[in-house]
Amino acid sequence: MKYVSLVLISHSYEIVSGLKKLLSQVQPDVPIAIAGGAEGGIGTNALDIQTAIESVYSEKGVVVLFDLGSALINAEMALEMMEPHENIRIADAPLVEGAYAAVVEAGLGSSLAEVVRASESAKELVKIHR
């Protein structure tokens, strides 16, 4: 693959499904996988996350973004269940803004480190100046 891939994790399938649709309109060539909801309800599942990561995995790298704390726990469990890969990173970023920054950066052909940095810089975004 030519681009760093993204994996979006949320307790809600609808949230990550809609976010993927938005991001695919911004950068249609960046591979994006989602893992959202658990057994038709709210929650996350480590096996679903592992499957999502593996579906877009490449040597270019994968950035994982998540919504809430237990999604992080399941993402970490998913990585532990996989063979070791040095080019998978979990970003400490807000899901929507971080994913948007990440997909733009990935679409430029940037490195894994640059995509992670872009996503994490979204924490500093000021939406309203007062």
Side-chain angles (χ1 to χ4, degrees), residues 31-123:
I32 302 170
I34 61 173
E39 300 174 14
I42 294 174
T44 60
N45 178 301
L47 291 174
D48 292 343
I49 295 167
Q50 178 184 1
T51 300
I53 293 169
E54 290 172 343
S55 75
V56 294
Y57 178 80
S58 76
E59 292 302 315
K60 188 76 174 167
V62 177
V63 176
V64 177
L65 296 113
F66 64 96
D67 62 357
L68 303 170
S70 61
L72 171 60
I73 294 167
N74 279 317
E76 291 171 337
M77 285 176 41
L79 293 180
E80 288 176 10
M81 295 186 303
M82 298 172 63
E83 291 184 26
H85 297 291
E86 293 183 19
N87 55 350
I88 301 172
R89 299 286 181 273
I90 300 174
D92 182 12
L95 179 60
V96 175
E97 292 88 344
Y100 194 93
V103 81
V104 170
E105 192 69 33
L108 297 173
S110 299
S111 71
L112 177 61
E114 291 168 323
V115 175
V116 170
R117 194 168 24 259
S119 69
E120 291 180 345
S121 72
K123 290 189 295 187

Side-chain angles (χ1 to χ4, degrees), residues 2-66:
K2 184 176 174 182
Y3 302 101
V4 171
S5 303
L6 305 180
V7 172
L8 311 174
I9 305 167
S10 174
H11 285 69
S12 166
Y13 173 80
E14 289 80 7
I15 288 174
V16 287
S17 179
L19 182 55
K20 179 182 178 181
K21 184 176 180 179
L22 170 69
L23 300 178
S24 294
Q25 291 174 3
V26 173
Q27 291 288 353
D29 297 327
V30 173
I32 302 170
I34 61 173
E39 300 174 14
I42 294 174
T44 60
N45 178 301
L47 291 174
D48 292 343
I49 295 167
Q50 178 184 1
T51 300
I53 293 169
E54 290 172 343
S55 75
V56 294
Y57 178 80
S58 76
E59 292 302 315
K60 188 76 174 167
V62 177
V63 176
V64 177
L65 296 113
F66 64 96

